[in-house]
Amino acid sequence: MLAAKSARGLVAPAVLLTAGVFLAPFLLLLAMSLWSQPPGSLMLDVTPTGEHYRRITTDSYYMTGLARTIWLSLATTAICAALALPLAWWIVRRAGRFRGLVLAVVLIPMVCGALLPTLGIVNLIGPLGVLNGTLKSLGLIDRSWKLLGTQAGILIGLVHAFLPLMVLPLVAAMDRLPRDAEGAAMSLGARRRAVWTRIILPLCAPGLLAGSALVFCATLTAFVTPLILGQGKIPTFATMAYQQASLVLDWPFASALAVVMLAILAAIGALGWAIRQALPGAAR
Amino acid sequence: MFGTGHFIRASLAAGAVLAAGAVAAQDFSGQTLVVGTWGGDIERLLKEHAAAPLEAATGAKVEFLLGGSGDRMSKIYAERQNPTMDATFQNIYEAPQLLADGLVVPPDPGSDMYKSVWEGMNEGCYAMSLVGLGIAYSKDLVSEPPEWADMWNPDYKGMIGMAPYPSSEGGGLLGVAARLEGTDEHDADAAFAKVAELGAPALVYTSLEEVFALMEAGEVAMAPMISGYVLAGLKEFPGIGFSFPTDPGPVLIRDMVCQVADSPNPELAEMFIGYALSAETQKAYAEEIYFGPTNSTVELSDAAAADTINSPDEVASLLQLDWSWLIEQRSDWTERWNKEILAQ
């Protein structure tokens, strides 16, 4: 018991620090989402009001933006999963001595921040980019194929940015699979498709779940990629919050948008935890 | 001729010299003045013509905080209890709001620097430079310098570049659109309906280079843009032209310099603003980056005079919008812009 008390005492400073610098801003965000601005002023009126939440839930522009954000997050998660599964399998089983190099390449978008890779994508898919330049020089198109300012363009950037968040948990999960599980299943007559659907995928489910949660949450709150690749024409919840906070300077409304995003993240976290608990072999 | 105008100019110049002498008598060694402004040429010119003489005269250091004016607005509101910035450059879209909220020191009508600025220009803060919202255009796609109405030519639908909203450019375009409909910016429905006829913007630009590159590639035909930046950038883009329309005229846009209320170094801030508004700094602004002077004593070369707004007559020919009213609409109009212009 004494050891437990000592441990709590040792942890207390870190807990207090976390509460101060991490939780306090969240509480301020929550409080500010209930404040307002007097007419003709950008100052804050701290009289509580639910007006911003009413505006978000009753204005189709914001609800459509929310639906678009969730759709982009789901699509990004699905595409990342489809790409990451074979890639992670190849890294674990086939890359051999190149494994470290391949993992480093996969990780590049994560370690150099969101801005540089996104600007790189602009140079690839922009009106004057590599893709359009090639198609024009081949005489296949006269005017540029518009990918910037479209959902397709944003999806390309989001998948590029967040693929590592799916690959890494899958590599960790596949690393733990017994090397002979695949061969054992095939020796008992399972075809390759059945090996994947009945052996590999169920055993990798925790990694897939973790990767999906990470990619979904990162995409939901992504700001730089939708802002640049959307060219201001495809509003997501994060870019709406940015516009309200930095351009309109309506911080209470921007806070309400952020709180809605946080609530969705919390719901996704709870859902992920529930699914994890329901998986075979989950720690209880 | 040595007329009344010359006498006033000589008096103002003498006042500036006397002010500089008074500055030299004070020692501000060890103090750091924080000035918020845009990077690039503006920062360079302010360093050379305002910061350097102020540092030499006072012993203080001038530190520049670079970024967009919206970032500075955010900072001023966030730090309203304890400001760290002393002086800031804002646009006409923002300065009156800062004054209304008591976050900047009102311009002093009795000061020499107030009097050195063209009458009626110090709105919210001191007027630093005059520019006009005109039309940058692709010479390949648009044969003659266009009028505003030419942007609505069906051949160019969906080929117009626009700045992000809210902004001086966005507010200016709405004001022009309303005028073309025979009304003014107070008629929001007419203004938005007219701008919506342009179609979704071909590009929401955040830099000159991206607009100009797309114009040279034939992807963007025209874009409402602010004269100073464009005229300074045209040398590198021979395929781009810039038009000052006449019906209505270009929209008058001003950059303002403000003293932050309750800032740590109010005396230094006031002195810095004095240097910024001096004839020397304003002449450099006009000669090098085509920002018209607000200081009535500035005399420009013929070349700079031709490409800048630099006299009350020229100012009178420009379209002046009710910026204070436009600022009040900032939130509602941003939502309308998002829904009616961008989401087409």
Side-chain angles (χ1 to χ4, degrees):
Chain A
M1 290 304 287
L2 189 64
K5 279 186 181 171
S6 300
R8 277 198 288 272
L10 288 170
V11 169
V15 171
L16 288 173
L17 185 69
T18 305
V21 301
F22 187 72
L23 292 180
F26 279 104
L27 292 176
L28 179 62
L29 188 79
L30 189 61
M32 195 177 283
S33 73
L34 300 171
W35 297 347
S36 60
Q37 290 175 318
S41 171
L42 297 179
M43 304 297 265
L44 297 173
D45 178 352
V46 297
T47 310
T49 172
E51 171 59 22
H52 306 307
Y53 292 102
R54 188 202 62 76
R55 185 175 162 194
I56 291 170
T57 50
T58 57
D59 189 324
S60 62
Y61 175 73
Y62 296 104
M63 293 313 287
T64 306
L66 181 60
R68 182 186 300 116
T69 308
I70 292 174
W71 145 248
L72 282 170
S73 303
L74 287 171
T76 305
T77 306
I79 296 170
C80 281
L83 295 174
L85 275 166
L87 179 59
W89 187 253
W90 184 83
I91 289 171
V92 170
R93 292 294 166 93
R94 301 271 188 272
R97 60 197 171 96
F98 295 109
R99 175 183 167 130
L101 180 66
V102 175
L103 275 173
V105 170
V106 169
L107 278 172
I108 283 175
M110 277 187 71
V111 295
C112 58
L115 186 61
L116 283 179
T118 305
L119 292 177
I121 299 267
V122 170
N123 282 323
L124 287 177
I125 66 173
L128 307 178
V130 174
L131 179 65
N132 276 307
T134 306
L135 292 176
K136 279 181 186 172
S137 64
L138 292 174
L140 297 175
I141 55 173
D142 293 327
R143 290 192 60 185
S144 295
W145 185 28
K146 285 200 175 176
L147 277 169
L148 285 185
T150 67
Q151 292 194 34
I154 294 178
L155 263 180
I156 291 171
L158 290 172
V159 168
H160 177 257
F162 298 129
L163 185 63
L165 294 176
M166 186 69 83
V167 171
L168 291 181
L170 280 174
V171 166
M174 287 174 180
D175 258 341
R176 287 197 295 270
L177 291 184
R179 287 260 161 189
D180 48 7
E182 190 185 351
M186 293 181 85
S187 74
L188 293 171
R191 294 177 184 275
R192 182 155 290 278
R193 181 188 173 89
V195 170
W196 266 93
T197 55
R198 299 183 64 180
I199 307 291
I200 297 172
L201 279 179
L203 290 175
C204 291
L208 191 60
L209 185 64
S212 299
L214 287 172
V215 172
F216 185 90
C217 293
T219 309
L220 193 79
T221 54
F223 155 67
V224 173
T225 304
L227 187 75
I228 294 177
L229 299 180
Q231 297 270 292
K233 297 181 198 169
I234 311 289
T236 64
F237 240 50
T239 62
M240 286 174 179
Y242 163 77
Q243 186 184 46
Q244 292 297 327
S246 292
L247 300 177
V248 182
L249 300 180
D250 187 346
W251 294 350
F253 186 53
S255 300
L257 290 167
V259 167
V260 171
M261 274 200 295
L262 283 172
I264 294 170
L265 290 180
I268 295 298
L271 181 66
W273 179 83
I275 294 174
R276 180 73 184 87
Q277 292 300 305
L279 286 175
R284 294 180 191 274
Chain B
M1 290 289 287
F2 191 79
T4 312
H6 278 86
F7 177 75
I8 293 170
R9 288 177 187 185
S11 303
L12 289 171
V17 171
L18 286 173
V23 166
Q26 300 175 58
D27 184 12
F28 291 90
S29 299
Q31 296 188 32
T32 301
L33 178 79
V34 179
V35 177
T37 189
W38 297 274
D41 285 335
I42 288 181
E43 179 206 5
R44 176 178 60 79
L45 291 173
L46 288 174
K47 268 186 179 166
E48 288 172 11
H49 299 281
L54 179 70
E55 288 177 340
T58 64
K61 252 191 81 168
V62 179
E63 186 179 298
F64 284 98
L65 199 65
L66 303 179
S69 63
D71 299 335
R72 293 193 285 282
M73 284 280 279
S74 298
K75 187 175 175 65
I76 292 168
Y77 277 90
E79 295 179 346
R80 60 191 179 280
Q81 316 283 3
N82 188 23
T84 59
M85 200 160 53
D86 297 291
T88 179
F89 287 79
Q90 303 294 147
N91 60 46
I92 185 57
Y93 200 72
E94 299 156 336
Q97 182 72 66
L98 287 169
L99 181 66
D101 284 333
L103 298 177
V104 292
V105 177
D108 175 11
S111 67
D112 287 335
M113 58 189 181
Y114 188 101
K115 291 172 191 165
S116 72
V117 172
W118 297 116
E119 198 177 333
M121 291 283 130
N122 295 321
E123 200 176 344
C125 300
Y126 292 99
M128 176 67 197
S129 55
L130 303 176
V131 282
L133 182 72
I135 307 171
Y137 63 97
S138 159
K139 288 180 179 171
D140 284 341
L141 297 173
V142 184
S143 54
E144 292 179 0
E147 285 290 328
W148 290 114
D150 294 329
M151 286 181 17
W152 276 264
N153 180 330
D155 291 347
Y156 303 126
K157 183 160 185 174
M159 296 181 74
I160 306 296
M162 297 183 195
Y165 195 90
S167 60
S168 305
E169 292 92 335
L173 177 60
L174 286 164
V176 165
R179 294 303 195 289
L180 292 175
E181 289 295 89
T183 176
D184 65 23
E185 62 272 18
H186 296 88
D187 187 347
D189 291 342
F192 275 97
K194 184 71 174 170
V195 174
E197 288 174 16
L198 293 172
L203 166 77
V204 179
Y205 65 83
T206 52
S207 76
L208 292 183
E209 287 73 17
E210 63 181 326
V211 188
F212 291 171
L214 287 178
M215 281 184 178
E216 290 202 321
E219 303 277 344
V220 173
M222 290 177 261
M225 296 182 92
I226 291 174
S227 58
Y229 297 115
V230 177
L231 292 167
L234 285 187
K235 296 169 200 159
E236 296 169 32
F237 295 89
I240 311 300
F242 186 77
S243 163
F244 279 121
T246 59
D247 184 23
V251 180
L252 174 62
I253 289 173
R254 278 161 280 169
D255 281 345
M256 316 294 286
V257 56
C258 312
Q259 183 182 340
V260 179
D262 304 320
S263 79
N265 302 291
E267 298 95 341
L268 285 171
E270 197 177 334
M271 291 175 212
F272 178 87
I273 292 171
Y275 280 110
L277 294 175
S278 69
E280 188 203 344
T281 308
Q282 299 247 316
K283 185 175 168 67
Y285 257 57
E287 300 283 348
E288 296 190 38
I289 57 173
Y290 302 101
F291 277 51
T294 55
N295 187 320
S296 56
T297 67
V298 173
E299 290 184 7
L300 300 178
S301 67
D302 290 344
D307 280 334
T308 56
I309 298 151
N310 57 73
S311 72
D313 289 345
E314 284 181 328
V315 168
S317 73
L318 302 186
L319 177 59
Q320 302 220 33
L321 302 182
D322 184 354
W323 289 108
S324 299
W325 188 81
L326 285 173
I327 291 161
E328 283 180 25
Q329 316 309 313
R330 178 193 286 254
S331 180
D332 291 343
W333 282 28
T334 300
E335 200 163 290
R336 289 193 72 164
W337 186 275
N338 289 338
K339 292 176 183 174
E340 297 172 35
I341 312 299
L342 295 181
Q344 290 185 78

